[in-house]
Structures are given as structure tokens and as C-alpha cells.
Amino acid sequence: MIPAKRPAAQPVRWQQSWREAVTDAGELLDLLGLAAHADSLLAAADTGFALRVPRGFVARMRHGDPRDPLLLQVLPQAAELGATPGYTHDAVGDLAARAANGVLHKYHGRALLIATGSCAINCRYCFRRHFPYAQQTAAANHWDEALAWLRSDTSISEVILSGGDPLALATPKLVELSQALAAMPHVRRLRIHSRLPIVLPERIDREFTAWLAQLPLQRVLVVHANHANEIDASVEQACAALRAAGVTLLNQSVLLRGINDSVAALGALSERLFECGVLPYYLHLLDRVHGAAHFEVERAQALAIVDGLRATLPGYLVPRLVREVAGAPCKTPVEHGAAMAQRDGIE
């Protein structure tokens, strides 16, 4: 008798993976065999910024390693509780750049939409960890105010979806928005900033890539990976699917103390990204947001690291070292020299 054929395993839908994220620090440490380190690792008080990390991302962390570079990006720590001079709740001047509900206009020709306040992962260094999402979301009322403002400013050729994470929105919502954007003759390009292809690659499903493939706009997706260990086979597959849909893939990283502050770590990241068809784009100095000072890498060390990358990598794999300065007309390159340091706002 021929045994009955088992049905093929169905892929886990991304919404389920989202719902099943780890949100308790004690559980996270238990999963990694680090329960005995809880007293030394965890903040004793509420930091005001919840823990959230997908289980697939947890699976890439090194078991039993309290200094794992992926763990340190998401684990609440006591260092977040103290006030540090120069660190504010609005580190990059988002609120001053508000042009309409959920619309930020900082740079010529580009407008950024705060598509949602939701994220699949809460990175402890997030520059919008204090952002008032409840009052500043472009998706409110079917994007009405945001779209009206974009129609009125014909200098805008590129719309940037950010958040939160814009890929937290269901694909039909993104279709609704993109149809409205594509109807504006002056909008030529859609750029999406998202961490989901890295931390929740299940999000890059057939429905999503089908939408991108037929979109009559130039498509750029800027992912966010800080360490080569973040990129496993599932991330590689997601990047391949995005490239097949005709999407240009770039990466931006944040330079983080104890996580990627070495030539070896960033060199390995650039190589791994390029294996996935992703071009290193920006390496950001830390945005000085309240609660994140323990991640900062000094400017001189940052410059030395980039010099080391230039000496060991092809030029196209060396990301540009930048800082975002509130009110500046563009990202500010971080360069050698005292005059450059003053211009960068870094003493």
C-alpha cells in the first residue's frame, strides 16, 4: 500500500511571526541560556521603551553570549535610564520639519512619510524612540492630508516611506498609497526604509513582491543591518526576491559601541550584504537620542574605522560615514580635520 502523501508545509505568514515576537526580557534571556545574567544585564526599572524582537532574529543570536552583537541591540539596559548632556528626545529635528500630518520635509526634492508607528523590532538606539506617533502618522484618514500636501508641492520627485516601519502595513494599504503617488506626475521614485527584510524576512512574500514589480515608479528599498550575523539564508532569499522585482537595494547601518565598532565587523557586514545584492550606503554616527548614549562611538574612532575599511575593501563596499544634523539641508559627511568636526556639530 502506497502511503498517503503528506501535504507540503505551508510557509508561516509574516503576521503570525510578528504576533509571536518576544516581548519579555526574562524570556529572551531564558531562550539564550542567559537567565543567570539577568541582574547584571537588565535595567532595574522601566525604560519607557518596550522590548520587542522577532523569534527568527533571536535564533541568530549566539547562545550563552551576554555580549552577542544582536542581543545588545534589543536588550533594555540600565544605561538607558540616565540623562546625558546633549541627548534629547528629538535628536534629528523631526518635529521642526513637519510639513503636514505625518509628512517630514527636510531635503530638497524629497518628502518622508511617517507611514506607521509600528516596528517588528525595537532597537535600543532608535532615534524615534520618543516620537509622538499617535499624533504624527501619515496613514490617518486614508493618507488624505499627506497626499494633499504632496500634490501641492511639485518639487517633490521622491517619496520616502519610513516610520516605525512602513512594511508593518498590509500590502493592500501600500497599494492604496502607491496608486495615489503614481498619479502625481512629479513623483518619480518611491524609497522605502525598512528593517523587516532583515529581522522579519517572511514579510517579503509573493503579494508584496508582485506589488513592487508592477509599480510604475522607480523603486529603492533601504534595509538596515548593523552586523553580518543578522543576515542568514532567509534574509538572502528575501533580498533575492526583492531584486527579482526590480528593486534597488541599499543598506544603512548605525555605528554602535561594542556591536560593530571595528574594521573586521563592518568589513564582514559589507561583504555579506554584497553577497545578497545589497550595496552599503550610509554608516551613521549615533543620533543623540535620550537613552542611547552608551552606544556612541567617538568621531576619531569612527574615522579610523572607515580609513581601515578603505584600505581593505573595494571603494563601492565602503559606506559613507555621515551624521544627521537637525536643520541641515542634507546628511552631513563626517570627515577629517578640526574645521570638519565643528561643521559636523561634533566637538
Side-chain angles (χ1 to χ4, degrees):
M1 184 176 179
I2 300 173
K5 208 173 190 180
R6 290 185 180 180
Q10 294 298 309
V12 176
R13 292 184 63 82
W14 68 271
Q15 295 95 334
Q16 180 180 342
S17 296
W18 183 293
R19 289 191 297 269
E20 293 175 349
V22 177
T23 57
D24 179 77
E27 181 188 4
L28 176 58
L29 294 181
D30 282 343
L31 290 170
L32 296 171
L34 293 170
H37 295 263
D39 288 345
S40 61
L41 289 177
L42 295 178
D46 183 6
T47 65
F49 188 46
L51 166 73
R52 183 176 188 86
V53 55
R55 292 178 187 273
F57 194 77
V58 175
R60 300 171 218 164
M61 298 176 184
R62 294 192 292 253
H63 194 270
D65 182 1
R67 305 305 302 170
D68 176 79
L70 279 58
L71 172 64
L72 294 180
Q73 294 182 53
V74 301
L75 189 70
Q77 298 181 55
E80 298 177 40
L81 298 171
T84 304
Y87 281 73
T88 68
H89 283 69
D90 184 15
V92 298
D94 277 345
L95 296 179
R98 182 186 181 278
N101 189 49
V103 180
L104 305 183
H105 188 205
K106 295 184 179 183
Y107 307 140
H108 176 75
R110 290 151 284 172
L112 184 146
L113 301 187
I114 302 292
T116 175
S118 298
C119 274
I121 189 168
N122 284 349
C123 302
R124 309 313 300 178
Y125 53 86
C126 178
F127 68 94
R128 290 200 180 115
R129 59 183 285 170
H130 306 290
F131 190 82
Y133 288 110
Q135 297 83 37
Q136 298 291 335
T137 302
N141 300 316
H142 297 279
W143 313 91
D144 286 350
E145 185 177 338
L147 291 171
W149 185 88
L150 289 170
R151 290 188 192 98
S152 72
D153 190 338
T154 58
S155 72
I156 301 298
S157 61
E158 178 175 80
V159 174
I160 303 165
L161 300 188
S162 185
D165 196 304
L167 299 195
L169 296 175
T171 300
K173 284 286 186 185
L174 295 171
V175 171
E176 175 189 336
L177 171 62
S178 63
Q179 287 174 342
L181 295 176
M184 301 179 193
H186 54 283
V187 175
R188 301 195 304 269
R189 190 163 48 250
L190 180 67
R191 190 195 328 169
I192 302 171
H193 284 202
S194 177
R195 191 122 156 83
L196 264 66
I198 304 296
V199 304
L200 196 77
E202 303 96 308
R203 176 63 183 95
I204 312 305
D205 57 17
R206 290 183 180 178
E207 182 185 22
F208 179 75
T209 54
W211 162 62
L212 283 174
Q214 59 76 42
L215 193 61
L217 296 168
Q218 294 175 317
R219 292 139 293 160
V220 179
L221 202 159
V222 183
V223 300
H224 176 183
N226 296 314
H227 195 279
N229 292 0
E230 298 178 34
I231 303 172
D232 66 359
S234 65
V235 174
E236 195 165 1
Q237 290 167 8
C239 292
L242 289 165
R243 295 200 321 275
V247 179
T248 298
L249 294 177
L250 306 173
N251 181 69
Q252 58 181 355
S253 304
V254 181
L255 186 57
L256 300 166
R257 187 196 305 171
I259 292 170
N260 60 6
D261 53 341
S262 70
V263 174
L266 288 173
L269 173 61
S270 284
E271 294 279 11
R272 187 71 181 100
L273 287 165
F274 198 61
E275 288 173 358
C276 298
V278 182
L279 199 63
Y281 173 43
Y282 277 150
L283 175 62
H284 290 264
L285 287 186
L286 183 74
D287 293 316
R288 289 174 170 167
V289 63
H290 175 74
H294 55 294
F295 288 114
E296 185 163 35
V297 175
E298 294 297 326
R299 175 181 176 276
Q301 183 185 352
L303 287 165
I305 290 170
V306 173
D307 286 345
L309 292 174
R310 290 195 184 106
T312 56
L313 293 175
Y316 56 85
L317 292 186
V318 180
R320 285 169 281 181
L321 182 64
V322 297
R323 147 152 276 161
E324 184 162 0
V325 177
C330 62
K331 294 288 192 298
T332 302
V334 179
E335 301 167 358
H336 287 280
M340 296 297 181
Q342 188 173 20
R343 187 199 66 184
D344 297 344
I346 310 167
E347 298 301 334

